[in-house]
Amino acid sequence: MPSSIALAAHFFLQLAVVLLACRACGLLLVRLGQPQVVGDMVAGFVLGPILAALLPTVHSDLFPSSGPSTPILYVLGQLGLVLYLFVVGLSFDTGILRGHLRTSATTGSVSLGVPLVAGAGLGLVLSDAGWFPDGVSTWQAILFTGTAIAISAFPVLARMVFEQGLTRTRIGTIALACAAIDDVAAWILFATVLATARHDPLIAVLALTGGVVYVVVVLVVGRPVLRRFASWAVVGTGMRPATLPIIVTVLLLCAWFTDVMGGYAVFGAFLLGAVMPRGQFADRLRDRIEPVTTAVLLPMFFVYTGLQLRPQAIFTWTVLVAVVGVTATAVASKGLACTLASRHGGLSWRDSVSVGALMNARGLMELVLINAALAAGLLTQQLYTVFAVMTVVTTVLAVPLHRLAQRALAGALNPASSAPRRGIASMVRRR
């Protein structure tokens, strides 16, 4: 067991390497039209299986498999995840959903139902082939795989929507609304899988009951209290010094409650951010929280995810074939279903393909899901690798496919789709 001083020194080196890798990957991918958060995802793979395959001694010295340094990365990565979802909630404009609620609900239902069915069939095949751990039953494998195929990349999608200038367009609005619907439903299903895996139905009951209680308390009690707090906190063009510690304390308690209830901390964080009073109060909070969260804390989550991958699990024909099959199923069921549903809802083919491309990204939420599943013993290391690679591939493809659709498909843009690029505070601001 290293001393506290040695542990701190080693962590400083780890963090410096992590930030350097994330920035380098980000600079490369931003030039290709990807958001920085995708660069962070790729950096996790570079520092995980790729570094382990090319320089195994350096990898084991920098990121030892035993000892406290890796768990520290995990904990700080989880903190970054909670703060990031809070910032996404602060920046989310629910008002733009009202004009497209019916189309969003229809498309969201299709984009959830079709991938669930396709994923269920895939889960049956994977279970019969022995990809899941011995203790996981066939129907648990079916339900988990359906959930993993159906989930969307809501936080990453919000950043993509903003950076592509789609904030106040039908494309961006429908994509974000559908992603929210899909992710909430997917996490309810995952709570059910966890309950059965632990042979305790109370977990699912607690997740559903606790989630409902949390939503009601935050909307009915929390919202008016936060309005009064905001009027006290804002002084002139700034905020009282005690504001940030109080809000962060409330945020951590909300994350703790939703986690303990069997849901996940990120949804508690997002909802709290979404009900915060808008205006100067939300802008000041975001300005103080976002920079260190996105630049320092969140990258540790992606790197920790990459560290769970093993080069011997990735660079085998069996895994590569599974990656192709899972990715093809994910793209065909999610992207195609969203495209057809959007077209049926009145969008042009160009915009429908764009919605399908954006919704096909799994991003951050898929990584959160498979990390939780791995910790619960629902996934083997190989299957974790398959889903992680699928996540990166579908997320990286989202923006290029959207741009290709906008350039290649004929037909005039819908008036709503060609709206001016304004409303910086509407989704997620640039780093």
Side-chain angles (χ1 to χ4, degrees), residues 35 54 69 123 149 158 165-166 188 193 230 241 249 277 302 330 350 364 379 415:
L54 298 178
S69 60
I149 296 297
L166 302 173
I188 293 173
V193 177
T249 300
F302 293 111
R350 177 185 293 186
L364 185 62
L379 292 181

Side-chain angles (χ1 to χ4, degrees), residues 116-381:
L116 273 176
V117 173
L122 179 64
L124 179 60
V125 173
L126 293 173
S127 179
D128 290 343
W131 281 86
F132 283 88
D134 293 336
V136 178
S137 66
T138 301
W139 80 267
Q140 288 172 331
I142 288 173
L143 189 55
F144 170 80
T145 307
T147 303
I149 296 297
I151 205 167
S152 295
F154 182 80
V156 174
L157 184 60
R159 184 172 290 274
M160 289 178 177
V161 164
F162 169 73
E163 294 192 356
Q164 295 302 307
L166 302 173
T167 296
R168 292 189 180 276
T169 68
R170 281 208 290 180
I171 295 175
T173 300
I174 292 173
L176 281 171
C178 293
I181 293 170
D182 291 359
D183 286 359
V184 169
W187 277 99
I188 293 173
L189 292 173
F190 183 62
T192 304
V193 177
L194 284 181
T196 59
R198 298 171 183 173
H199 306 289
D200 186 2
L202 185 61
I203 295 176
V205 175
L206 279 177
L208 182 58
T209 306
V212 171
V213 169
Y214 177 76
V215 170
V216 171
V217 170
V218 169
L219 294 179
V220 176
V221 179
R223 181 176 286 175
V225 171
L226 288 170
R227 287 199 194 102
R228 295 189 185 94
F229 179 78
S231 63
W232 169 84
V234 176
V235 179
T237 58
M239 290 195 309
R240 296 181 189 270
T243 301
L244 187 60
I246 292 173
I247 290 297
V248 171
T249 300
V250 173
L251 169 62
L252 295 176
L253 288 174
C254 291
W256 166 81
F257 178 79
T258 50
D259 223 0
V260 168
M261 287 294 102
Y264 208 73
V266 293
F267 287 107
F270 171 76
L271 183 60
L272 182 66
V275 301
M276 285 285 166
R278 294 304 190 255
Q280 184 177 334
F281 178 70
D283 292 342
R284 294 292 177 270
L285 280 178
R286 184 172 49 244
D287 290 343
R288 295 188 183 189
I289 295 174
E290 183 179 16
V292 69
T293 297
T294 55
V296 179
L297 294 175
L298 190 61
M300 285 187 276
F301 170 79
F302 293 111
V303 170
Y304 178 83
T305 298
L307 293 177
Q308 304 310 301
L309 306 177
R310 302 291 182 266
Q312 61 270 25
I314 291 181
F315 304 114
T316 65
W317 283 110
T318 304
V319 170
L320 291 177
V321 169
V323 166
V324 172
V326 170
T327 303
T329 303
V331 172
S333 62
K334 189 82 170 182
L336 184 59
C338 290
T339 298
L340 296 177
S342 299
R343 176 59 179 162
H344 179 73
L347 269 66
S348 66
W349 276 112
R350 177 185 293 186
D351 290 353
S352 297
V353 173
S354 287
V355 171
L358 294 172
M359 282 292 293
N360 190 55
R362 267 66 178 188
L364 185 62
M365 299 313 295
E366 182 81 29
L367 295 180
V368 172
L369 180 76
I370 63 174
N371 272 283
L374 183 66
L378 291 169
L379 292 181
T380 61
Q381 191 68 53

Side-chain angles (χ1 to χ4, degrees), residues 18-33:
V18 167
L19 297 183
L20 181 62
C22 289
R23 186 51 54 184
C25 292
L27 287 175
L28 175 62
L29 291 173
V30 165
R31 293 180 179 273
L32 302 177

Side-chain angles (χ1 to χ4, degrees), residues 10 13-14 55-65 69:
H10 187 77
L13 177 61
Q14 283 181 323
L55 300 170
T57 302
V58 173
H59 181 272
S60 60
D61 288 343
L62 187 58
F63 302 107
S65 56
S69 60

